[in-house]
Amino acid sequence: MDKEWYDRAEAIREALLQLRDSLDYAGKKEQIAAVEAQQAAPDFWNDQEKAQASIAELKGLNSVVSPLDAAMKAAGDLDAVLEMAEEDEAFAEEAQAEIARLEANLEKLKLSALLSGPNDAAGAIITIHARDGGTDANDWAEMLMRMYLQWAGKNDYSAELLDRSDNEQAGINDATIVIRGPMAYGYLRGETGMHRLVRISPFNSEGKRQTSFAAVDVTPEINDSVAIEIDEADVRIDTYRASGAGGQHVNKTDSAVRLTHMPTGVVVQCQNERSQHKNKASAWKMLRAKMAQLEEDKRDAQEAAARGQQAKTGFGSQIRNYFLHPDQRVKDTRTKYQQGNFHAALDGDIQGFLEAVLRWRAGQPIEDDGDDD
């Protein structure tokens, strides 16, 4: 075996040791032990919501620790694999393949290190609003909602509809879903912003090209154990009759709830449940999430200012273009990452975009291809 392969094996081991520190491996192992002890308690299932949050926390911790454990074990065995290759050339190809596999896994683990925000492990509450573009925008907003639900399904995440307002002609006016799974918010937080669709409108009899917009806002689903200061006196509570699908009972009672946080102007609403009490509880959860996101945005802006950088784009900024005409492609305006298969992206194949945004947020250089779209 050439010296190059030994050098690459050593580089893998050194990188894994650095990742142990940056991922707080020891701390996460302690957290896993503590959570597993909680789950072993006889009264663990007495509080279902707390139990589910604990299970999700353990799943998130293991999603980081288990791959790192496996990579470290495999890296520790590399010397033996290389020695076998020295003694028998038949093992050389196997050794090279193993080093290449570990290098690929290392890149994935480095991505995990970028998911280090205070709320990255939380579930992601995604609110989608139809914007400019008439009925096309309503249809586009529903397409985006389906895209995120498809992404959740492909990655074994759970999804729940919190609120939905249907448009009379087609699509939705707005909707809110929550996606839960390992690092859901960490992956999806970069989806906040304006999403632009260019296509031949199916709602235009003249077959003209139409540009439509939908706004996406992503907030972390905050556990009740996390202290979020909200003065109830600052919140106006309105109840109203739910609209759209949901059965006759939903439309005959004032079951829908809207909360307005007067100091910030933040408005959240929930009408998906038949019970006003349940809708109110969900709306408060959404408001707590929004307040946590505002605090996180402040921290991001302060850190960016300290580095002499501009704050990353947020809600209202155009972040991605989806083209169905004249050619098919999807391109992120921040990272310049693009895919040539429009339908694959709308079917939930957006992991490449999510990972590119993670690297962009970490300050890794982005090469502009000169296409302004």
Side-chain angles (χ1 to χ4, degrees):
M1 293 291 293
D2 294 340
K3 182 176 181 295
E4 174 202 349
W5 296 101
Y6 286 94
D7 289 343
R8 285 169 67 176
E10 183 59 29
I12 288 170
R13 283 189 286 267
E14 288 179 3
L16 285 172
L17 288 173
Q18 290 173 0
L19 274 174
R20 276 175 62 110
D21 294 334
S22 61
L23 289 169
D24 188 21
Y25 175 83
K28 283 183 171 59
K29 290 287 276 188
E30 288 179 7
Q31 285 177 271
I32 287 171
V35 173
E36 287 177 340
Q38 289 174 2
Q39 293 182 4
D43 61 347
F44 174 71
W45 288 104
N46 289 357
D47 186 332
Q48 288 284 329
E49 188 173 346
K50 189 176 179 182
Q52 292 296 339
S54 176
I55 290 169
E57 182 184 7
L58 183 60
K59 191 174 181 180
L61 289 166
N62 279 324
S63 72
V64 176
V65 170
S66 295
L68 188 54
D69 276 340
M72 289 170 60
K73 183 179 184 305
D77 294 338
L78 274 179
D79 280 342
V81 174
L82 289 169
E83 283 176 18
M84 289 169 65
E86 289 283 4
E87 295 170 5
D88 186 345
E89 287 189 7
F91 288 103
E93 191 173 327
E94 182 182 333
Q96 292 170 10
E98 177 64 2
I99 288 173
R101 184 187 72 82
L102 275 171
E103 287 173 335
N105 284 350
L106 186 60
E107 289 306 307
K108 292 179 182 177
L109 286 166
K110 285 178 180 177
L111 197 67
S112 297
L114 301 180
L115 294 163
S116 57
N119 299 311
D120 281 356
I125 298 175
I126 305 175
T127 302
I128 303 160
H129 304 271
R131 289 293 190 242
D132 297 341
T135 304
D136 274 279
N138 297 111
D139 186 47
W140 174 225
E142 186 173 27
M143 290 166 68
L144 281 175
M145 180 178 72
R146 178 183 175 275
M147 180 182 79
Y148 293 122
L149 293 174
Q150 289 284 96
W151 176 83
K154 287 176 186 289
N155 290 278
D156 197 28
Y157 285 32
S158 67
E160 177 186 351
L161 178 67
L162 295 182
D163 185 64
R164 173 177 175 143
S165 171
D166 288 300
N167 178 262
E168 290 182 4
Q169 279 190 275
I172 58 175
N173 297 317
D174 49 65
T176 300
I177 59 176
V178 58
I179 294 177
R180 302 182 180 99
M183 302 296 170
Y185 177 68
Y187 278 118
L188 292 165
R189 63 177 297 210
E191 292 298 287
T192 291
M194 201 70 71
H195 296 245
R196 171 178 172 246
L197 171 67
V198 180
R199 65 173 174 175
I200 298 296
S201 171
F203 305 101
N204 186 315
S205 59
E206 298 177 14
K208 289 184 177 179
R209 192 168 84 157
Q210 173 77 28
T211 299
S212 47
F213 298 85
V216 174
D217 192 25
V218 185
T219 55
E221 184 183 36
I222 300 301
N223 191 296
D224 289 339
S225 63
V226 178
I228 303 291
E229 296 295 330
I230 301 177
D231 189 341
E232 292 190 19
D234 290 337
V235 180
R236 188 178 74 238
I237 303 175
D238 298 306
T239 58
Y240 59 99
R241 194 160 295 179
S243 62
Q248 292 181 341
H249 172 81
V250 173
N251 294 319
K252 286 183 177 179
T253 62
D254 291 341
S255 59
V257 176
R258 180 185 298 114
L259 303 181
T260 304
H261 187 250
M262 263 94 73
T264 60
V266 169
V267 179
V268 297
Q269 61 190 38
C270 188
Q271 63 172 339
N272 197 54
E273 299 287 347
R274 290 172 177 247
S275 159
Q276 185 188 107
H277 176 74
K278 288 183 178 177
N279 282 329
K280 188 175 181 180
S282 292
W284 272 104
K285 182 177 285 189
M286 291 159 67
L287 183 60
R288 294 178 76 247
K290 189 63 184 173
M291 293 297 104
Q293 184 207 27
L294 291 176
E295 287 301 313
E296 191 165 339
D297 288 346
K298 284 181 188 174
R299 284 194 296 270
D300 285 349
Q302 289 169 354
E303 289 175 8
R307 294 193 300 265
Q309 297 176 340
Q310 206 171 15
K312 303 301 184 187
T313 55
F315 188 65
S317 303
Q318 186 173 310
I319 65 163
R320 195 171 300 142
N321 293 310
Y322 302 73
F323 296 94
L324 196 50
H325 182 82
D327 59 336
Q328 280 195 34
R329 60 197 165 97
V330 181
K331 182 175 180 180
D332 198 285
T333 62
R334 303 158 296 180
T335 65
K336 313 307 175 190
Y337 179 86
Q338 63 180 326
Q339 288 180 195
N341 193 328
F342 172 93
H343 294 290
L346 268 291
D347 282 339
D349 183 14
I350 57 171
Q351 191 64 28
F353 290 101
L354 304 184
E355 293 179 1
V357 171
L358 276 176
R359 294 186 174 97
W360 172 76
R361 281 187 172 276
Q364 295 183 9
I366 303 297
E367 290 185 13
D368 193 336
D369 62 7
D371 184 1
D372 294 331
D373 293 329

